[in-house]
Amino acid sequence: MKNIYLVVFMVFLFFGSYGQGINTDYYKYGASPSDLPDFLLQSVETEPLILGISDPDMDSTKAAKQAIERARSLLYLSQNARVRSLFDYYMGEEYSGSGGTFQSFVQLAVHDSVFPEYVVLDTFYTRFQEAIVRIRPSSDDLEFGFTIGKSYDIRMEKFRLEYEWGGAAEFQDQTEMEIQFFDSITSSDLISVYKYSHQFEVYSAADGEERFFPTLRYNYVQPNAGQQQYFKYGLWVHIMDRFIQEIANESKRMRELVKKTGETYESSTTLSQGVTSNLVTFQIRDINLVDGEVEISLEVEFLEY
């Protein structure tokens, strides 16, 4: 009997110590992928795609609220936002190698008290407790809501620095989205994404409450494709980062109307600068996930030249 008890004890000890070594986050997030809704990744032929996605691992009620506010913010930005951009490119030769730096700053912002009415079309929850919400304006005429005593301040910014020295290239950038709705109760949402070469960090705070993401890759499977895609920190940070980059690309293609300089020093150093400031409207026509990257198709119209 003592031998039997000893064997049973050893079995419990083995499984107990094994269980302590299990990465519970892996089994919560990494064992199987989450499905994604059709409306997120399929082309929208008849209307633009206006959506918001919450941070992962949130209470369903808070997640839906955050996703709706992010979707509303894209709607308000899409109507009449100001895009400002600064591009600064320096190229020169020093010592035995050549080098250069490229800096850019792009801001898409709107501050207003006019609230277009909207309706929620779809709500979907991933297995990582992310709420994905799609909305659209209530009518094509963009009806405006009752706004006395209400306003909002929404901005998206991206700063990027690229530098090359002796053939080696590095970069760092920071993307930030801040949403503030001013009513009888002030609502706020801030998310900041920092990249330095292969480092990737995220900070998020909603209504003054900070959130820290687990350092995990979230995996998703596309409808009808069956291919898994891995995204660290969930979907929204990647969609937001790619979206403002597309706005930056469009802004660079515009004429620098405020200021443009191009100067050469000592026949080997070139400095080029440009500044733009325009009102824009935009529509998101398509979103795709390709090899762990987000691709976004935008239609942008510049209203002020």
Side-chain angles (χ1 to χ4, degrees), residues 54 58-72 118 125 131 133 181 185-189 206-207:
S54 73
M58 294 184 68
D59 170 80
S60 60
T61 302
K62 290 183 178 181
K65 176 179 179 293
Q66 186 179 62
I68 289 173
E69 288 194 349
R70 289 174 175 179
R72 290 173 63 196
Y118 69 93
Y125 288 90
V133 172
F181 289 103
I185 298 177
T186 299
S187 175
S188 64
D189 184 18
D207 297 329

Side-chain angles (χ1 to χ4, degrees), residues 8-34:
V8 172
F9 173 76
M10 292 300 292
V11 170
F12 278 114
L13 181 63
F14 171 77
F15 281 105
S17 61
Y18 175 76
Q20 292 177 2
I22 291 175
N23 184 342
T24 56
D25 284 335
Y26 172 81
Y27 286 95
K28 182 177 181 181
Y29 297 116
S32 60
S34 174

Side-chain angles (χ1 to χ4, degrees), residues 48-89:
L49 182 59
I50 307 171
L51 79 157
I53 305 176
S54 73
D55 296 339
D57 202 23
M58 294 184 68
D59 170 80
S60 60
T61 302
K62 290 183 178 181
K65 176 179 179 293
Q66 186 179 62
I68 289 173
E69 288 194 349
R70 289 174 175 179
R72 290 173 63 196
S73 298
L74 282 186
L75 172 61
Y76 300 160
L77 284 170
S78 71
Q79 301 306 311
N80 201 17
R82 171 73 64 176
V83 58
R84 300 177 177 90
S85 58
L86 166 66
F87 305 101
D88 188 338
Y89 181 69

Side-chain angles (χ1 to χ4, degrees), residues 122-289:
D122 299 283
T123 302
F124 181 92
Y125 288 90
T126 70
R127 67 182 298 271
F128 313 125
Q129 289 86 55
E130 295 162 289
I132 304 177
V133 172
R134 181 167 70 108
I135 68 173
R136 67 167 174 81
S138 298
S139 72
D140 294 336
D141 296 329
L142 289 179
E143 298 175 0
F144 301 116
F146 186 74
T147 60
I148 293 179
K150 299 181 181 180
S151 65
Y152 51 84
D153 194 352
I154 303 164
R155 64 174 178 86
M156 297 182 72
E157 297 176 344
K158 187 175 186 68
F159 170 78
R160 184 174 181 89
L161 172 63
E162 302 175 29
Y163 42 96
E164 181 178 352
W165 189 264
E170 296 285 347
F171 80 90
Q172 60 183 0
D173 68 29
Q174 184 166 357
T175 302
E176 190 166 275
M177 181 175 189
E178 184 172 17
I179 304 165
Q180 295 187 81
F181 289 103
F182 302 101
D183 200 343
S184 55
I185 298 177
T186 299
S187 175
S188 64
D189 184 18
L190 170 66
I191 189 162
S192 182
V193 180
Y194 175 76
K195 297 180 184 178
Y196 175 75
S197 294
H198 298 295
Q199 298 181 27
F200 185 17
E201 300 175 3
V202 174
Y203 170 82
S204 178
D207 297 329
E209 180 181 343
E210 295 183 343
R211 298 196 68 252
F212 297 94
F213 294 73
T215 54
L216 300 167
R217 295 189 307 169
Y218 299 84
N219 54 331
Y220 307 86
V221 60
Q222 299 187 51
N224 306 321
Q227 181 181 3
Q228 293 189 38
Q229 304 277 331
Y230 292 88
F231 291 90
K232 193 174 183 180
Y233 301 114
L235 283 175
W236 182 248
V237 295
H238 298 272
I239 290 176
M240 178 192 72
D241 183 63
R242 190 63 214 174
F243 167 79
I244 192 63
Q245 182 60 51
E246 290 299 318
I247 293 291
N249 293 341
E250 290 293 329
S251 184
K252 279 194 291 187
R253 283 192 280 269
M254 292 296 296
R255 292 185 296 126
E256 287 91 352
L257 299 166
V258 177
K259 178 182 179 182
K260 183 177 178 65
T261 64
E263 301 178 4
T264 301
Y265 303 92
E266 299 178 358
S267 73
S268 61
T269 300
T270 302
L271 174 64
S272 298
Q273 294 177 316
V275 179
T276 67
S277 178
N278 290 284
L279 291 175
V280 299
T281 64
F282 63 83
Q283 294 182 351
I284 299 176
R285 307 306 303 184
D286 195 30
I287 294 179
N288 287 295
L289 308 184

